[in-house]
Amino acid sequence: MSSASSTSSLPAAARYHDTIAAEWDELYRSGGFQRRAAMIEAFLSRLPLRGQRWLDAGCGSGYFSRRLVEGGAKVRGLDASTAMIEAARAHAQTVDPQQLHFEHVSTIETLDEKDASYDGILCLSVLEYLDAPEATLGEFARVLRPGGHLLLSLPQRSSLVRQLQQKLRGVGSTFGRAWCSYLSVSKNAYEMAELHAILKRAGFEARHLREFDPILPETLVGLLPGSLLFVLAQRMS
């Protein structure tokens, strides 16, 4: 879960992501991460990427930034983890730097871009780490052109898997084990209705929304709340 965070929460979130940067890209090649990647790529396949300019906000090791470039987009990747940015640059050495570049930033809650600078924004498992997630969505709306797309993922609060992970983390800490350590820096989770509401307040309309869980069988997702909500939204004019 790559992150760019506000100044007050940056050290803990960024330090955590520094520790997993070396292995992050490889995780998408198997298991729940591979299924997650397939879902994200299915969302992206709905979009006319060629010739578009995209922002990958919280790009991590740049796995999906590279997928956007393969689809024909020009991409700027931002992350608060120095190690993640270093990994992203290493993985992208053969990619045209005119099409893809990565930058370390301290925050994505304000962006150094003019209004309507982008055709699309990718923000995967990032807002959960921020102090002001709704303000960040407003900033995304500012730098997106009218009709531009936002592909977003967030934790679902009612997820039984997430609740179990939180309990395991508590038990693990009692015995000196760091289970589900990402939860120590993850602060925000939502329900589907809440997500629709905050997107609307920020100037977006949700077009496609799906639940996902890396552990539950796909046949159970929907019957039981998935741990992640994925939404493809569009900036209203």
Side-chain angles (χ1 to χ4, degrees), residues 91-205:
H91 288 301
Q93 287 182 9
T94 62
V95 181
D96 182 353
Q98 297 299 314
Q99 291 299 115
L100 173 62
H101 73 282
F102 297 104
E103 300 171 36
H104 176 263
V105 295
S106 62
T107 181
I108 57 168
E109 292 172 354
T110 58
L111 297 168
D112 60 346
E113 294 280 6
K114 296 179 180 178
D115 295 357
S117 295
Y118 290 100
D119 299 292
I121 296 177
L122 190 65
C123 186
L124 301 174
S125 296
V126 175
L127 295 190
E128 66 193 84
Y129 301 107
L130 303 187
D131 288 335
E134 289 198 47
T136 304
L137 288 173
E139 185 72 344
F140 288 169
R142 181 186 70 79
V143 300
L144 268 178
R145 63 169 175 80
H149 290 92
L150 169 66
L151 179 54
L152 183 73
S153 72
L154 290 162
Q156 182 162 216
R157 187 186 305 112
S158 59
S159 163
L160 299 179
V161 169
R162 186 175 176 87
Q163 291 172 16
L164 178 59
Q165 288 174 330
Q166 289 171 328
K167 289 180 180 179
L168 287 174
R169 180 173 170 265
V171 172
S173 62
T174 301
F175 292 95
R177 297 190 62 179
W179 290 335
C180 307
S181 55
Y182 77 94
L183 290 171
S184 66
V185 290
S186 175
K187 298 184 290 186
N188 307 307
Y190 300 87
E191 298 303 323
M192 199 171 293
E194 287 179 284
L195 184 52
H196 274 282
I198 66 170
L199 284 167
K200 186 174 182 179
R201 287 197 294 271
F204 291 98
E205 183 176 355

Side-chain angles (χ1 to χ4, degrees), residues 21 26 35 59 82 112-113 165 228 237:
E26 189 63 28
R35 291 194 291 111
C59 61
T82 302
D112 60 346
E113 294 280 6
Q165 288 174 330
L228 289 174
S237 57

Side-chain angles (χ1 to χ4, degrees), residues 53-66 68-69 73-79 84-105 112-113 117-118:
R53 187 176 186 224
W54 275 68
L55 174 68
D56 190 352
C59 61
S61 60
Y63 186 91
F64 294 106
S65 299
R66 301 194 305 275
L68 288 166
V69 170
K74 183 176 182 179
V75 181
R76 181 189 186 199
L78 305 177
D79 207 283
M84 283 289 191
I85 290 296
E86 290 173 354
R89 289 171 176 164
H91 288 301
Q93 287 182 9
T94 62
V95 181
D96 182 353
Q98 297 299 314
Q99 291 299 115
L100 173 62
H101 73 282
F102 297 104
E103 300 171 36
H104 176 263
V105 295
D112 60 346
E113 294 280 6
S117 295
Y118 290 100

